[in-house]
């Protein structure tokens, strides 16, 4: 079970062990779901309506966008920004799960609450994700820039991107979109851990002899879809703000906008693109959320069990 469990046999996980398992889970998951992430980001940054019924912009459907990117940019385009994305996943997974294990243990030892209740997992999961977000936001901005650029490339490699952004836009550019990210990440991650806790407990009594890995995968996937649907608009706003100052490289994809902060972004999207504008890219995002959250919890528990087995032997 994810989180501190006082009834678990053996010693509790150390922060280093949780960080190792979390970073390994993030690394494997990122490699598997990168193509969906690239398509999702392209949808989110498109001003024109994303609809196959009345195509207006460059991308208007999941399969059409996939074919378009493949044709124009080749297979490697689906892993654009993969290096900063992998750094992001490894860093984020390490900080999030180490913080979550430490927070749930703290709750159990310092309060009267049970560390394995859904409510505790919601609060601890949200706080752990916020700490990971602050630590990893520059990598998320770099990942978004790489995934958003077309051909010819604006940034040749990671070092060139860091130097160029720092010189032309200043150090604060690496934290563009931090406000909507923090606003969204607390309930998003909190709901992930909340629903994972509930669904996993519902599944396990049905067949105690089955392997926990399948339960982790199903529980994580369901939790990812529910939490992503409830918090998706904040993710879209974050992506729009992160590509501010990057308008020239976006010209070939259609219309571009420059937003002056969180409120301006919300108002203009609502006025120009209506309610549906806040949910552009939802389809690939839900598919990605199901796979990424499912795989993350699956691999995290897999690596945790491996670490426990090695310690006991």
């Amino acid at each position: 079970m994810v989180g501190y469990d006082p009834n678990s046999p053996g010693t509790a996980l150390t922060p280093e062990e949780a960080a190792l398992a979390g970073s390994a889970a993030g690394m494997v998951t990122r490699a598997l779901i990168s193509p969906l992430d690239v398509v999702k980001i392209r949808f989110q940054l498109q001003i024109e309506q994303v609809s196959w019924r009345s195509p207006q912009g460059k991308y208007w459907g999941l399969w059409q966008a996939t074919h378009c990117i493949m044709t124009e940019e080749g297979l490697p385009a689906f892993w654009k920004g993969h290096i900063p994305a992998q750094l992001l996943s490894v860093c984020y997974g390490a900080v999030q799960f180490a913080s979550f294990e430490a927070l749930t243990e703290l709750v159990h030892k310092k309060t009267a609450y049970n560390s394995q209740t859904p409510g505790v997992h919601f609060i601890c999961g949200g706080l752990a994700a916020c700490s990971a977000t602050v630590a990893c936001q520059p990598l998320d901005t770099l990942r978004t820039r790489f995934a958003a650029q077309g051909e010819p490339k604006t940034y040749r490699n990671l070092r060139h991107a860091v130097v160029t952004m720092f010189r032309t836009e200043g150090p604060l550019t690496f934290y563009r979109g931090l406000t909507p990210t923090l606003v969204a990440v607390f309930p998003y991650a909190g709901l992930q851990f909340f629903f994972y806790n509930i669904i996993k407990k519902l599944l396990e009594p049905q067949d105690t002899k089955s392997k926990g890995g399948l339960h982790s995968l199903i529980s994580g996937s369901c939790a990812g879809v529910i939490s992503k649907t409830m918090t998706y608009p904040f993710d879209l706003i974050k992506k729009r703000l992160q590509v501010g100052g990057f308008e020239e490289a976006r010209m070939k994809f259609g219309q571009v906008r420059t937003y002056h902060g969180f409120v301006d972004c919300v108002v203009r999207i609502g006025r120009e693109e209506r309610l549906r504008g806040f949910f552009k890219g939802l389809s690939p995002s839900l598919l990605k959320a199901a796979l990424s959250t499912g795989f993350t919890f699956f691999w995290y528990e897999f690596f945790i069990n491996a670490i426990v087995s090695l310690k006991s032997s």
Side-chain angles (χ1 to χ4, degrees), residues 149-225:
Q149 69 178 349
E151 297 291 343
K153 295 179 180 178
T154 302
Y155 305 124
R156 297 189 300 272
N157 50 48
L158 181 60
R159 181 178 178 276
H160 180 243
V162 172
V163 172
T164 302
M165 290 169 65
F166 186 85
R167 287 178 177 173
T168 59
E169 303 173 53
L172 291 180
T173 193
F174 295 101
Y175 284 90
R176 283 179 184 267
L178 181 61
T179 299
T181 302
L182 290 176
V183 170
V185 78
F186 183 92
Y188 176 55
L191 289 169
Q192 279 185 335
F193 284 96
F194 177 85
F195 284 111
Y196 180 80
N197 179 288
I198 292 175
I199 298 169
K200 185 87 181 289
K201 287 178 178 178
L202 289 174
L203 289 175
E204 285 186 329
Q206 296 176 5
D207 183 9
T208 55
K209 293 182 180 180
S210 66
K211 294 183 178 180
L214 180 60
H215 291 161
S216 299
L217 189 62
I218 295 173
S219 302
S221 296
C222 293
V225 169

Side-chain angles (χ1 to χ4, degrees), residues 2 6 54 62 65-66 69 79 82 96 165 195 246 271:
V2 175
S54 55
L62 180 58
T66 302
I69 295 171
W79 280 269
H82 189 60
Q96 182 183 34
M165 290 169 65
F195 284 111
F246 193 54
R271 184 174 63 239

Side-chain angles (χ1 to χ4, degrees), residues 104-133:
T104 51
E105 183 175 1
L106 182 67
V107 167
H108 176 77
K109 293 181 177 180
K110 300 297 183 180
T111 72
Y113 295 101
N114 183 343
S115 62
Q116 282 297 317
T117 59
V120 169
H121 277 210
F122 174 79
I123 299 297
C124 293
L127 291 174
C130 286
S131 63
T133 297

Side-chain angles (χ1 to χ4, degrees), residues 30 81-93 136 139 142 158:
R30 170 59 58 184
H82 189 60
I83 293 177
Q86 274 291 11
L87 292 174
L88 169 66
S89 297
V90 169
C91 173
Y92 194 95
C136 305
L139 292 170
L142 286 165
L158 181 60

Side-chain angles (χ1 to χ4, degrees), residues 35-36 39 43 59 61-71 78:
L36 284 170
V39 175
F43 281 178
Y59 306 121
L62 180 58
W63 299 115
Q64 178 272 338
T66 302
H67 181 265
C68 183
I69 295 171
M70 173 74 82
T71 302
F78 292 103

